[in-house]
Amino acid sequence: MRIGLLLTAGFLAVDVSAQGRVQRPMTYEDFAAVRNVGDPQVSPDGRWVLYALRTTDVNANSRTTITRLVTTGAVSSGPRGQSVIVQMPQWPDAKTRASEARWSPDGKRVAYIAGGQLWIADASGANGRKITNVNGGASGPVWSPTGDRIAFVTGVYPDCDSDGCNIERAKAADTGKVKAHIADNLLYRHWTEWTPQTRSHLFIVASDGTGLRDVTAGVKYDVPPGPFGGSEAYAFSPDGKELAYTAKDQGRADAWSTDLNVYTVPVSGGAPTVMSAANRGADQNPVYSPDGRTILYASQARPGFESDRQRLMAYDRSSRTSRELLPNWDRNADAYAFSASGDAIYVNTVDASRTKIYRITRTASGWTNVPQILTSGGNNFSPSVSSDGKTIAWLQDATERPAEVYVATVGPSGLSGVRRLTHENDALLAQLKLNPVEDFWFKGADGDSVQGLLLRPPQYQAGKKLPVLFLIHGGPQGEWLDQWHGRWNFEMFASPGFGIVAINPRGSFGYGQKFTDQISRDWGGKVYTDLMNGLDAALARNSWLDSTRMGAAGGSYGGYMTNWIAGHSRRFKALLTHAGVYNLENMYGATEEIWFSDWEFGGPYWDKNAMDSVYRRWSPHLFAGNFHTPHLVVVGELDYRVPYTEGLSLFTALQRQGVPSRLIDFPDEGHWIGKPQNQRLWWGESLGWFRKYLSP
């Protein structure tokens, strides 16, 4: 790629000098002003990185995503010999809001999504041309390694054989006067929407816009499976003749089965073949080896358990057999990619509150069974490896800094020349007083070692007592990371002067599968002990934390635990429950993913063993008579994961007993509060609640 050509396209020079001093606590306006960097894509030759940049306009109540392009190396010198990075302010041009930008195999073109359709432009951004105009919109472009076709997904009516049919069906549904939902099966709604009649299908199209075809025509399932799947769910074979993809086709059992499968289908046409039918757990996210002999995929062995360990599996296309590559590595293969030569595999996973990038290599005796860690410091994710195998780009963030793009040179011993490419938030961070998180370990419920995180607020002064805000993560299988969280942001919670304590109790990821398993069917047991032990350890080691002024907050399972605390402890002055489970029996009957309740509660509530050992033991509503602590309750009416009636029931119990409480109901939000102005209200009410009860 010629630098001169790129400079003529409207590039500017960005000084990569150090940040200025931090000064003041963060406000919601600062939080909303963060420029969110994501989706780094390194060019095949390793010289450039495309990345997404999302910004928020609170007044307009909207967010905008654009694409930017930055070189991976200094191309000129700035004042006093400082390095200067060439960066394009907006790619492909100043007017186009491009997302999901993907390099062609030769690096000369880029496929991207704009206006809900698939486009292709030259690498410089010139000659942009729309190559789809499908009724369901396009997303998730993936190039064929041969460079002549692109796979993407779009919504269709499975029984339609043309886009004209899709258009007519969609028009009839939109203009019809009756809006009733009719269901014959479970999973009739999912996450934040009622399950539509359309399905997401996998299409291919030639790079000139011809040859549009549905390679999954007629199937009744979604590619990728909802609600969060993306282009990681499908891939081309190296010769471009086959596609592998993830789908779930369990019929009536969709709501209580986790059995996803990897399918293969000829690009030229033909029926899909199930590659992973023998395993009844989830199998997903195929990646072909460069020589085409192997397909990597993530596999969970236990049916019905969505948080089982994601094993890294290798499928031999010749023998049609699979084997696990890292059977003794007790971590998840969350993301993975081959090196250009096929002699190394990069794996992304969570380990002890940080996401890290590892590598395994092929030797004469096979793959190494102890992964080599490549990253140090911060939270490292979304790796992208150049086709020549020499360059890797990824995102790194931490509690005190939003994500930026990093890049390094790949060598036999690891990474060298690690450097930050983007500086989207330097000017903002220079104004803010943000402290890094501190790790501590303590003795858990089983006498084992459990990790906690501590954050000093911007008002911290040695010898000064400050209130404590105890944060409890959701999941229940999840984790607090040393990250810049887009919703439950530690720095925002600390901004009024609260010391933050956050514990990763059993059930958390990053400490081995046994530790993760130990929360199921024991929601209020050892986890509660871990949490209280962790809080006590933080208080004992930090005399500035004021144990007489403490609040607790959590969302989803964290909300459940806050509700559990309300009936079992009076050590807190105020509580916040967001989208929290309150009545286990009602939760079972109203949530959408029944496999979750079946596993976590031991079965349906009409199962006597499950009723006696879980439902009647661990349901917070049975201890409502013990409620005394002032309690803020937040719900979203579009939350089909933890239906908002859970929060309504909690609020009724609080009000009926005269406990100081407030309900905030968002009719246009789901499990998460995402709209900018709703977020502003959420933060204002949440921090205001704790200011009221934790002030001196």
Side-chain angles (χ1 to χ4, degrees):
M1 189 182 299
R2 297 194 304 276
I3 297 299
L5 173 62
L6 290 171
L7 287 172
T8 63
F11 280 69
L12 54 86
V14 177
D15 192 341
V16 295
S17 59
Q19 297 179 14
R21 289 190 60 189
V22 292
Q23 296 175 342
R24 57 178 171 79
M26 185 166 62
T27 65
Y28 175 74
E29 286 68 30
D30 298 320
F31 178 70
V34 166
R35 300 166 67 81
N36 293 280
V37 174
D39 196 23
Q41 298 292 319
V42 66
S43 62
D45 61 7
R47 295 178 61 197
W48 301 90
V49 175
L50 289 157
Y51 67 94
L53 181 66
R54 191 186 69 182
T55 55
T56 299
D57 184 333
V58 176
N59 290 333
N61 206 29
S62 65
R63 292 186 173 89
T64 299
T65 298
I66 64 170
T67 293
R68 302 187 79 172
L69 179 66
V70 60
T71 181
T72 58
V75 297
S76 60
S77 294
R80 298 179 300 279
Q82 292 172 331
S83 61
V84 173
I85 291 177
V86 172
Q87 182 168 296
M88 191 174 185
Q90 190 166 338
W91 187 97
D93 55 56
K95 296 181 179 180
T96 303
R97 296 178 179 178
S99 63
E100 299 187 84
R102 297 294 183 269
W103 297 96
S104 64
D106 61 8
K108 296 179 179 180
R109 297 168 293 169
V110 176
Y112 59 98
I113 303 300
Q117 298 296 336
L118 177 61
W119 291 66
I120 292 179
D122 296 343
S124 66
N127 300 316
R129 54 205 179 278
K130 184 166 67 172
I131 63 169
T132 68
N133 189 30
V134 286
N135 180 69
S139 64
V142 172
W143 284 90
S144 165
T146 53
D148 58 342
R149 282 174 288 216
I150 299 171
F152 68 96
V153 294
T154 185
V156 300
Y157 290 89
D159 55 345
C160 278
D161 58 4
S162 69
D163 205 42
C165 172
N166 289 317
I167 293 171
E168 288 300 316
R169 292 280 296 278
K171 182 179 179 180
D174 185 56
T175 59
K177 301 300 182 183
V178 177
K179 302 300 181 184
H181 298 287
I182 300 175
D184 295 308
N185 301 298
L186 291 179
L187 213 62
Y188 50 85
R189 60 182 190 176
H190 204 186
W191 195 243
T192 59
E193 66 176 2
W194 288 77
T195 303
Q197 293 182 338
T198 57
R199 291 290 179 265
S200 178
H201 276 197
L202 184 60
F203 276 65
I204 57 170
V205 64
S207 56
D208 62 1
T210 62
L212 179 71
R213 189 164 60 81
D214 183 353
V215 297
T216 53
V219 301
K220 304 295 185 182
Y221 51 69
D222 290 302
V223 180
F228 303 120
S231 58
E232 74 283 351
Y234 44 93
F236 277 101
S237 61
D239 60 10
K241 295 181 179 180
E242 181 180 271
L243 277 161
Y245 63 86
T246 310
K248 183 180 181 183
D249 186 22
Q250 301 303 326
R252 287 192 65 253
D254 269 356
W256 57 85
S257 169
T258 59
D259 191 9
L260 278 67
N261 278 297
V262 177
Y263 294 73
T264 59
V265 62
V267 169
S268 59
T273 300
V274 182
M275 190 188 85
S276 57
N279 182 51
R280 304 306 296 173
D283 302 292
Q284 57 190 322
N285 302 345
V287 172
Y288 286 85
S289 61
D291 62 12
R293 297 178 180 178
T294 303
I295 301 176
L296 297 180
Y297 63 99
S299 177
Q300 295 177 315
R302 288 178 283 182
F305 186 24
E306 66 179 14
S307 297
D308 198 10
R309 186 169 70 90
Q310 296 274 8
R311 303 170 298 161
L312 182 62
M313 306 296 289
Y315 175 78
D316 186 304
R317 296 177 73 197
S318 176
S319 66
R320 299 183 180 181
T321 57
S322 294
R323 65 186 180 94
E324 184 177 358
L325 292 186
L326 294 167
N328 299 318
W329 194 51
D330 200 4
R331 293 294 183 269
N332 288 315
D334 293 324
Y336 36 88
F338 273 103
S339 66
S341 64
D343 290 333
I345 299 172
Y346 300 90
V347 185
N348 212 190
T349 193
V350 172
D351 177 66
S353 80
R354 273 91 181 170
T355 306
K356 302 173 183 178
I357 301 173
Y358 293 80
R359 178 175 65 180
I360 61 173
T361 55
R362 193 197 305 271
T363 66
S365 58
W367 292 100
T368 53
N369 56 19
V370 179
Q372 171 195 15
I373 186 169
L374 298 180
T375 54
S376 61
N379 189 56
N380 303 274
F381 55 105
S382 298
S384 173
V385 184
S386 63
S387 297
D388 64 9
K390 298 178 181 178
T391 306
I392 184 171
W394 71 97
L395 298 176
Q396 185 187 101
D397 69 357
T399 296
E400 75 278 16
R401 49 190 170 87
E404 300 281 2
V405 178
Y406 282 69
V407 70
T409 300
V410 180
S413 60
L415 303 184
S416 61
V418 176
R419 56 204 182 276
R420 179 157 66 105
L421 284 190
T422 62
H423 296 262
E424 295 287 357
N425 293 290
D426 285 7
L428 174 63
L429 296 183
Q431 305 172 49
L432 305 178
K433 175 64 174 174
L434 304 172
N435 291 319
V437 76
E438 304 169 28
D439 297 38
F440 67 95
W441 295 80
F442 60 91
K443 185 177 291 188
D446 276 346
D448 47 358
S449 236
V450 178
Q451 187 181 24
L453 302 174
L454 175 75
L455 181 65
R456 299 171 191 263
Q459 297 86 350
Y460 171 80
Q461 295 177 11
K464 180 181 179 181
K465 287 275 192 180
L466 291 171
V468 181
L469 192 50
F470 188 50
L471 300 181
I472 307 167
H473 73 65
Q477 295 84 6
E479 72 287 314
W480 287 127
L481 293 172
D482 177 13
Q483 68 171 160
W484 184 271
H485 204 293
R487 296 182 313 279
W488 285 67
N489 186 281
F490 287 0
E491 302 287 357
M492 274 295 294
F493 277 117
S495 63
F498 303 146
I500 303 302
V501 178
I503 306 300
N504 280 332
R506 61 204 64 244
S508 300
F509 292 126
Y511 309 92
Q513 190 59 44
K514 178 182 177 182
F515 192 80
T516 303
D517 287 351
Q518 286 181 320
I519 195 170
S520 298
R521 299 160 201 164
D522 189 40
W523 277 22
K526 291 181 179 179
V527 187
Y528 179 74
T529 301
D530 282 350
L531 290 167
M532 294 302 116
N533 286 2
L535 178 58
D536 290 339
L539 294 171
R541 300 174 196 179
N542 296 273
S543 59
W544 60 272
L545 294 174
D546 189 347
S547 63
T548 68
R549 291 184 291 152
M550 299 197 300
S556 197
Y557 171 81
Y560 162 90
M561 181 52 71
T562 307
N563 297 339
W564 184 258
I565 287 171
H568 290 81
S569 173
R570 294 197 185 185
R571 68 188 305 185
F572 299 98
K573 298 294 186 183
L575 302 173
L576 161 61
T577 289
H578 173 99
V581 179
Y582 177 64
N583 183 326
L584 300 190
E585 294 169 56
N586 284 345
M587 170 70 177
Y588 185 94
T591 192
E592 8 83 296
E593 294 179 350
I594 303 301
W595 66 78
F596 174 82
S597 300
D598 278 345
W599 186 274
E600 293 302 315
F601 305 157
Y605 57 81
W606 54 86
D607 180 291
K608 187 177 187 306
N609 289 333
M611 175 61 80
D612 293 343
S613 62
V614 178
Y615 289 93
R616 295 280 98 183
R617 185 179 184 187
W618 300 124
S619 189
H621 84 286
L622 298 176
F623 302 91
N626 298 332
F627 290 174
H628 293 90
T629 307
H631 208 140
L632 178 63
V633 182
V634 183
V635 297
E637 290 190 24
L638 300 180
D639 186 356
Y640 302 147
R641 182 62 43 85
V642 180
Y644 79 107
T645 50
E646 292 290 291
L648 301 187
S649 297
L650 168 63
F651 184 64
T652 297
L654 292 163
Q655 286 284 306
R656 186 67 178 81
Q657 298 179 87
V659 178
S661 50
R662 171 174 286 183
L663 172 70
I664 304 175
D665 180 317
F666 292 96
D668 55 347
E669 298 281 10
H671 202 54
W672 301 331
I673 307 304
K675 296 181 180 179
Q677 292 188 16
N678 287 344
Q679 282 192 335
R680 179 165 59 188
L681 175 65
W682 190 93
W683 279 112
E685 289 287 338
S686 299
L687 296 182
W689 187 257
F690 288 115
R691 282 191 185 101
K692 176 179 179 180
Y693 289 101
L694 305 186
S695 296

